Every structure is written in C-alpha cells, then in structure tokens.
Amino acid sequence: MSGTRRRTADVLVPERPAGRFSDAWRRCVGAGRFDLALRSDYRDSLALVQQEIGFQYIRQHGLLSDGAGIYQPYTRGGSPGLAYTFTYVDQIVDAYLALGVRPFIELGFTPAALGSGPQTVFWWQGNVTPPASPAEWAALVRTTITHLIDRYGLDEVRTWPIEVWNEPDLDVFWPAGDQDDYHRLYELTACTVKEIDASLQVGGPALSPGADAEWLKRFSAFIEDRAVPIDFVSRHAYTSGPSQPVPFGTYQTLMPAATLLDQFAAPRQELAGTALAGLPVHITEFSSSYRPDNPIHDTAFHAAYLAPVVVAAGDLVDSFSYWTFSDVFEEAGVPASMFHGGFGLLTHRQIKKPTFHLYSFISRLGRDVLARGDSFVVTRDPAGHIAILAWAPVDHTGRSFVDGHRVRLSVPVGPGSSAFIARSSVGEEAGNARAAWAAMGRPASPRPRQVDALREAAEPVRTYRSVPVAGGRVELDLVLGRHEVTLVEVSPVVDETPPWSDDARLFGRAG
C-alpha cells in the first residue's frame, strides 16, 4: 500500500449561498429486523444515534414475520382459529416515537403459517414465499394498519411510508424473482392499504441494485394498466462485489463511491416518460456492503468513502437510508466480535465509529451551501455560523491512500477582529475504536479497562483556536490525514473580556 499527497486549489468562498443543503440524508436509517428493537442494547444505541443525529424514520425487515408475533394461528376443539397480537409491535413503536423517530414500514415477510412454501432468508428465517391465501394476507395487512391507526391516530400514520416487500427481483427474497407474482402482491397490498384510508402512503418495489433497467419500466406499465395506487418508488444501492467468506465474516471488493450516486439517479432516469415519473424516490437501503459481517463498516476508510455520497445524494433522491445504524444485526448469524468488531456487542453498548461520526458532523452543517468541491462543502446557518465538512479522497481498491490532503479556503465571517475555530476529526488516528481494538489484539470479550479505552478512542479529536479576521474573512488551511473526515465550525468572536483581566499577571506579577 502506498501513500500520496494532494493539494486542492485555493477556494474563495462567496458570501451569497449557491444553493440549499438537502436534509434527505436525515430522513431515514436502516435497522435490521423489527423485533431486534425489543433488546435494551439496541434501543440504547438508537437513543445515542437520535441524540447526536436525529433521524426522522427507521426502516426494518420482518414486521409481519414470526419474530414480531402478529399472526397467531391456533387450534381449539379441533377447529382452526386465528388471533392477531400486537404486544411486541406496540412496545417497539412506542419506544421509537418516544425517541423522536417514526416507522418507515416495510410489509414483509410472510408469516410461516401463511407462506406458500418453506423458503426462508437470513439466520432468523424470514419466510419469503408468496402468501398461500391472498385473502388472509389482505386481512393481515388491514388488521395491522388499522391497529396502528387506532393506537397512534390516523394523522400520525398518514406520515409513515408503507413499502411493499423487499428486493423482489432477487430469488433469495422472492421465489425465482417472479415479477408477475410480485405485481399481484403489490396490487393486493396497495389496494388494501388505500381501502383503509386513501391518504396513506404506499409504494415500492424496493429493488436491489442488480435489477435490470427494464424492471421498473415493467412495474410502471403494470401500475398504469391496472390503475394501481402508488405514492413513491423505492430502490437500494450498494457497491460491493461477490462475497469472499471466511469464518464468522466476509470480505468483498468495492466499486468507486460515485457508483452509489449513479444508482441513486437510476430510478428517475429509468422512469422518465412513464406513469411513475415525478413520484418521490426513496433509497431505502444504501452502503458499501450489504453484508453485516463485512468489517469495512467499522473502518475510518468507510466514513471518508461515503462522505461525498452523503453530501451530494440529496440532489438526486428524496431520502436515502444508511443500512444499518447498529452492529446488532444478525442477518448472517450472531456477530462474532473476533472477526468484524461488532462493537455494540463487545461492550453491551454502542461504541461510536467513524461512519456514525460522519453523520453526526453532517447534522451540524447549515442549510445554505456557500461552496462545494470534490472533497469539501461549506455551509452557513441562519445565525451566520459557518460549518465546513472536508474529507480525504480514498482509493476504493485499498491499494493506496492520500495523506496530507489540503483544503485551503477563504471564508466570509463578517466584521470583527477574530473568529473561533472548533475542529473535530476522525480517521486512522482519531475517533477509531476499531484501530484501538486491533492494537489490543482484537479481544473477543474486552475487560472493563479495555472497554473504557475503546470508548475514549471512539471520540473524535477536537481542537480549538482563534484566528484573525481580515477584510471580513478568515483563511483556513486544512491538512487531512489518511481517511480523515473533519468538521470545522467558524464563529465570529465577540470579545467580552473585562478591562481588568490580564493573563500576563496570572502569577501575580505586573506585565
């Protein structure tokens, strides 16, 4: 692996905004399967995420699967019966709303007793076959949505998007990836939802990144021909190649991060001129790898890799949901910390990692964009505070890296003689719990002192200084280390020092 140095051209940041910074990045986050939210460590992790970032929606698999326990067939006196139970659902949704996040509902998968076959997906065995009884499926959907309305109110549930299934173009999620079968399921489900209330939001088809370009066009033609209701279109985006499995984990090659932006743009391009053109587009899953056991997620590289995507993607779609916020995931089995970190499991509490910090930094950006470059964005909030996000360019192959990347900016701050600079950084040497864990010898069960050290290592490095203002501007020369992401906040200084304050006399002698 080799390192190189790069320097950006000096940038004179204009005083007037060049555009608005979209909050599409904050709209939704992914979270594994629905019933994981019954775990206290999972909810503690989400509370931390909400405290520092504040996502608006959360999306998960398995609302209708057996783990959530809604569909409960029984036999009494030799006769079959059916009960619907919402004990777990109510606990989870109550907890979400208390944390300020709403469900982005995914309707799936099929309860095992209702499935038309035995095919399942993931370690937790979600049944992915079409329902054996369309009428019972419709009743399940109707009862579930009606219950949510009864408990949380129609006005509230109208704000919750309802997505039909997950990646039906893949045979792992839908037998043979049969599109006609999915069309029938979508029509039945969407019409059932709209029969409850016409203002409820329903959409799909939550396609995988590998879906052919004609899939959405055929879906659009079906919607138009049958006059099936739809309020939004959804798709997923990943850049990882085939899995290279090892015990307790997997490695994968990656495509350039810009490939994600190409995938984000694809739905509107493919639907241009169709009946679905102009609908909101939600990327309901995105990341580098879809594999929970790929260690790339916990690296400093990952934050710098995704930074330009998160900054730019709001220009392309209405929302894009990072998959997932927590190491409590379990699609590939119970995570083995000896391989991929799984820091939330190691410590029974979410340890922050570089990608978490990337989102936390972005949450501090202003809405007015003053300037944007290949490796930075400069924003301003209504109070006039400047926030800059900058990142070191990365090599998606991992064969080289950029060290000492420079971003030189002349930033307008208004009148005054000085400005306060607060800088927070994560990278290979800062805010990197995985690097500290590796230095410890990758302990599978860290001892209390090791846990404390990991928590300290996970914090960004923060520095503070004062810089002079000349002509209403400050000059910033930011040097970024390997895979570094940095947030720089600039505030004009109002000097309130009393006239008798004299630091030269701290030790009692006259200056």
Side-chain angles (χ1 to χ4, degrees):
M1 181 181 291
S2 61
T4 60
R5 287 181 175 269
R6 289 179 54 184
R7 175 176 171 176
T8 66
D10 292 356
V11 176
L12 183 71
V13 177
E15 295 185 18
R16 293 179 177 242
R20 296 279 283 174
F21 188 64
S22 168
D23 67 348
W25 63 272
R26 197 198 293 270
R27 299 272 173 82
C28 190
V29 70
R33 76 177 186 274
F34 188 77
D35 48 303
L36 282 174
L38 296 170
R39 293 175 51 154
S40 61
D41 57 345
Y42 174 101
R43 294 194 302 274
D44 289 346
S45 298
L46 182 59
L48 178 63
V49 166
Q50 287 303 98
Q51 175 184 329
E52 296 206 16
I53 300 171
F55 289 102
Q56 296 169 1
Y57 291 91
I58 187 167
R59 175 187 177 270
Q60 301 164 277
H61 300 319
L63 171 63
L64 303 181
S65 297
D66 293 339
I70 296 175
Y71 188 84
Q72 300 276 4
Y74 64 90
T75 301
R76 183 174 184 274
S79 299
L82 178 63
Y84 298 102
T85 303
F86 294 97
T87 304
Y88 284 176
V89 172
D90 293 347
Q91 289 180 33
I92 293 168
V93 177
D94 286 355
Y96 285 165
L97 295 180
L99 291 171
V101 65
R102 293 175 160 122
F104 192 122
I105 295 173
E106 178 200 302
L107 291 178
F109 299 113
T110 311
L114 184 53
S116 56
Q119 181 178 334
T120 63
V121 70
F122 302 141
W123 170 79
W124 48 273
Q125 297 186 340
N127 187 289
V128 293
T129 63
S133 168
E136 284 195 35
W137 172 265
L140 172 61
V141 170
R142 183 180 300 107
T143 303
T144 300
I145 301 302
T146 300
H147 171 81
L148 295 172
I149 291 170
D150 289 344
R151 186 174 180 87
Y152 302 105
L154 179 58
D155 289 343
E156 173 65 28
V157 179
R158 279 173 172 166
T159 69
W160 303 357
I162 301 171
E163 185 180 43
V164 181
W165 212 256
N166 178 77
E167 298 187 357
D169 59 296
L170 297 182
D171 56 13
V172 69
F173 288 110
W174 191 246
D178 190 299
Q179 187 166 2
D180 290 337
D181 277 350
Y182 175 75
H183 287 171
R184 284 188 281 272
L185 180 81
Y186 180 85
E187 180 176 19
L188 172 65
T189 307
C191 289
T192 300
V193 169
K194 291 295 188 177
E195 286 169 3
I196 299 169
D197 183 82
S199 296
L200 293 171
Q201 305 173 58
V202 66
L207 292 182
S208 78
D212 68 78
E214 298 302 311
W215 217 103
L216 269 181
K217 293 179 182 178
R218 293 192 296 267
F219 179 66
S220 178
F222 167 78
I223 295 292
E224 184 175 21
D225 291 345
R226 300 277 299 174
V228 179
I230 187 168
D231 298 296
F232 64 87
V233 173
S234 60
R235 188 163 185 161
H236 299 165
Y238 293 101
T239 54
S240 50
S243 297
Q244 303 164 22
V246 296
F248 307 110
T250 190
Y251 295 109
Q252 292 168 288
T253 57
L254 296 178
M255 295 180 284
T259 308
L260 285 169
L261 296 177
D262 294 338
Q263 295 178 42
F264 286 13
R268 287 202 164 102
Q269 294 169 354
E270 294 169 5
L271 292 172
T274 73
L276 305 190
L279 285 181
V281 174
H282 298 298
I283 304 298
T284 51
E285 291 180 23
F286 95 96
S287 188
S288 57
S289 171
Y290 55 88
R291 294 281 310 198
D293 55 354
N294 188 327
I296 200 75
H297 299 297
D298 291 323
T299 63
F301 163 90
H302 201 248
Y305 176 81
L306 290 183
V309 175
V310 181
V311 166
D315 297 335
L316 301 173
V317 293
D318 295 271
S319 75
F320 49 103
S321 177
Y322 179 68
W323 191 258
T324 65
F325 82 86
S326 173
D327 285 322
V328 183
F329 201 171
E330 299 184 348
E331 285 187 358
V334 175
S337 60
M338 67 187 72
F339 179 74
H340 71 77
F343 299 115
L345 299 174
L346 285 172
T347 63
H348 311 294
R349 169 182 165 185
Q350 175 77 24
I351 281 189
K352 292 176 281 188
K353 47 192 174 181
T355 304
F356 174 100
H357 290 305
L358 167 65
Y359 270 87
S360 182
F361 291 171
I362 289 174
S363 72
R364 299 182 68 85
L365 296 179
R367 291 302 300 275
D368 287 335
V369 175
L370 300 182
R372 183 184 292 182
D374 291 339
S375 60
F376 71 89
V377 61
V378 183
T379 68
R380 184 172 59 204
D381 70 13
H385 297 112
I386 302 291
I388 302 152
L389 184 76
W391 56 91
V394 302
D395 175 10
H396 69 281
T397 69
R399 297 189 182 98
S400 65
F401 59 88
V402 176
D403 197 7
H405 178 69
R406 300 183 77 176
V407 178
R408 295 170 58 94
L409 304 168
S410 175
V411 180
V413 295
S417 61
S418 65
F420 177 68
I421 308 296
R423 180 171 177 177
S424 303
S425 296
V426 297
E428 293 298 332
E429 304 296 329
N432 193 336
R434 188 175 190 275
W437 176 70
M440 291 176 181
R442 304 175 189 253
S445 298
R447 296 179 181 277
R449 281 191 176 184
Q450 292 174 314
V451 170
D452 290 342
L454 288 172
R455 288 177 179 163
E456 290 177 4
E459 288 299 315
V461 168
R462 297 181 172 94
T463 59
Y464 308 93
R465 62 191 175 99
S466 175
V467 297
V469 174
R473 289 181 170 270
V474 297
E475 308 301 316
L476 298 178
D477 186 358
L478 308 177
V479 181
L480 283 73
R482 177 183 172 191
H483 300 151
E484 181 178 345
V485 178
T486 192
L487 173 72
V488 179
E489 297 173 274
V490 184
S491 304
V493 170
V494 178
D495 194 345
E496 300 182 31
T497 305
W500 56 85
S501 178
D502 183 0
D503 287 348
R505 299 182 62 184
L506 283 173
F507 301 99
R509 296 187 295 272

